[in-house]
Amino acid sequence: MRASHADRERTTDVLKAGFAEGRLNAEEYGERVERVHKAQTYGELSAIVQDLPNGPMPMPYLPQSPYLPAAFAPQPYAQPGPYRSGPPYPYQYPPFYGAPAFPPPVRRTNGTAVAALVLGIAEFWTLGLTAVPALICGHTARAQIRRQGGEGSGMATAGIVLGWLAVGFWGLVLLLAVLAAGH
């Protein structure tokens, strides 16, 4: 099949990239560009660039220099297209073809779950006064997370466990005190 001017320009671009990357010296580059302008078919054009890569080569991964901030370190070559994997986003919803892919929305941590954990830890310093509020906040947070979604289920559970441990411990201390007083 006969080659067009656009085909010759694309072939010249591949030669320019090869010359810029140091794959061709100046003499060889000039000789191949002349052959491109004289070429009549696709076969002749492909024979000129058959030993050169067709596009940008992926950059090899280089270890980071201790003086180079991570933001300026070389990044691995990312495949173009809507279904690329890897950077810049760790997970992508399958987008419509041609639509940009966005990262998933950030799930917020439930504030009541945080309060349950803080109250559960504070029992050690308040001698169990925050045990019941930790239980209430923990159960409320678990219900909110089930109903609305979000993060913090583990914190709510930890607040509940600490609350019940404090209630059990102080209940046992109170029982022993009553038994000792009755003796």
Side-chain angles (χ1 to χ4, degrees):
M1 186 183 294
R2 295 186 61 86
S4 68
H5 292 299
D7 298 325
R8 288 185 192 88
E9 288 176 14
R10 281 191 293 269
T11 305
T12 304
D13 289 342
V14 172
L15 290 174
K16 286 178 187 176
F19 179 68
E21 293 171 353
R23 298 178 193 277
L24 299 173
N25 60 30
E27 181 181 321
E28 191 175 15
Y29 170 73
E31 175 187 313
R32 289 189 187 199
V33 169
E34 284 181 30
R35 286 177 42 203
V36 166
H37 292 298
K38 293 178 184 177
Q40 297 293 318
T41 63
Y42 282 118
E44 292 172 356
L45 290 177
S46 64
I48 295 170
V49 293
Q50 70 183 0
D51 60 338
L52 298 174
N54 289 340
M57 295 298 292
M59 244 175 105
Y61 180 75
L62 302 173
Q64 293 184 7
S65 167
Y67 302 106
L68 182 66
F72 299 111
Q75 300 297 314
Y77 181 72
Q79 294 293 326
Y83 295 105
R84 71 175 164 237
S85 61
Y89 306 112
Y91 176 78
Q92 297 174 354
Y93 293 116
F96 295 108
Y97 183 74
F102 297 103
V106 177
R107 294 179 60 180
R108 298 186 55 103
T109 303
N110 188 304
T112 312
V114 175
L117 181 61
V118 169
L119 290 169
I121 293 172
E123 296 166 3
F124 299 110
W125 292 279
T126 62
L127 303 177
L129 291 176
T130 59
V132 174
L135 287 170
I136 294 170
C137 288
H139 286 293
T140 304
R142 297 271 317 257
Q144 288 175 351
I145 291 169
R146 272 194 306 272
R147 200 171 47 248
Q148 301 168 352
E151 299 290 327
S153 179
M155 289 188 275
T157 303
I160 292 170
V161 168
L162 290 171
W164 279 117
L165 286 174
V167 166
F169 175 76
W170 289 109
L172 183 63
V173 168
L174 184 62
L175 180 68
L176 290 176
V178 168
L179 289 175
H183 231 277

